[in-house]
Amino acid sequence: MKQFRKVISLILCMALAMSFSAMAVGSEEELQPYADFTIESASAVVSSSGSSFVIDFNIRASESCSKIGIDSIKVYDVTNRTSFTAAGTTMSGVKQYANSIYIPITKGHAYYANVKFVAQPSGGSAVYRSTITRTINT
């Protein structure tokens, strides 16, 4: 009877060890499903229109995203040496997003912006990229 228990215990230990090694093989794929996910391109062009600072942007990711677009915009007023943060805009279910954002400004001042892009695949971590726009006089 003791020998039977030892054999059963050994079989259970082997089954347990095999289940851990099987989970280890599968877990690498589960942890890195978006290892190749990237922001392929991101650009922002600025202009002025009336009393608005206009940012025309385009972002493209390597696959469809649950969130893609501009995370935030830090606008710098060169004339007054001040800055403020403006909200961005995002979209879901696409791999490319282009749009324009209008930010109210003071005419006669010079501005530039630091645009922070974001792209996040479904179930994956977000990827960020920032770009500084050229200075524009209004």
Side-chain angles (χ1 to χ4, degrees), residues 31-114:
L31 290 175
Q32 298 178 359
Y34 300 103
D36 294 332
F37 178 80
T38 61
I39 294 176
E40 292 179 345
S41 64
S43 64
V45 178
V46 294
S47 61
S48 65
S49 175
S51 60
S52 293
F53 184 70
V54 183
I55 300 176
D56 296 309
F57 69 92
N58 189 355
I59 179 171
R60 180 179 177 85
S62 57
E63 62 185 74
S64 184
C65 299
S66 62
K67 179 168 80 169
I68 186 169
I70 294 180
D71 188 55
S72 64
I73 305 163
K74 181 95 176 213
V75 180
Y76 296 90
D77 182 336
V78 178
T79 308
N80 284 346
R81 296 184 183 167
T82 59
S83 66
F84 62 92
T85 302
T89 178
T90 60
M91 181 175 257
S92 63
V94 295
K95 70 186 270 185
Q96 184 170 2
Y97 181 37
N99 204 348
S100 298
I101 295 177
Y102 292 79
I103 301 168
I105 52 160
T106 304
K107 277 189 92 44
H109 288 213
Y111 294 90
Y112 71 93
N114 182 354

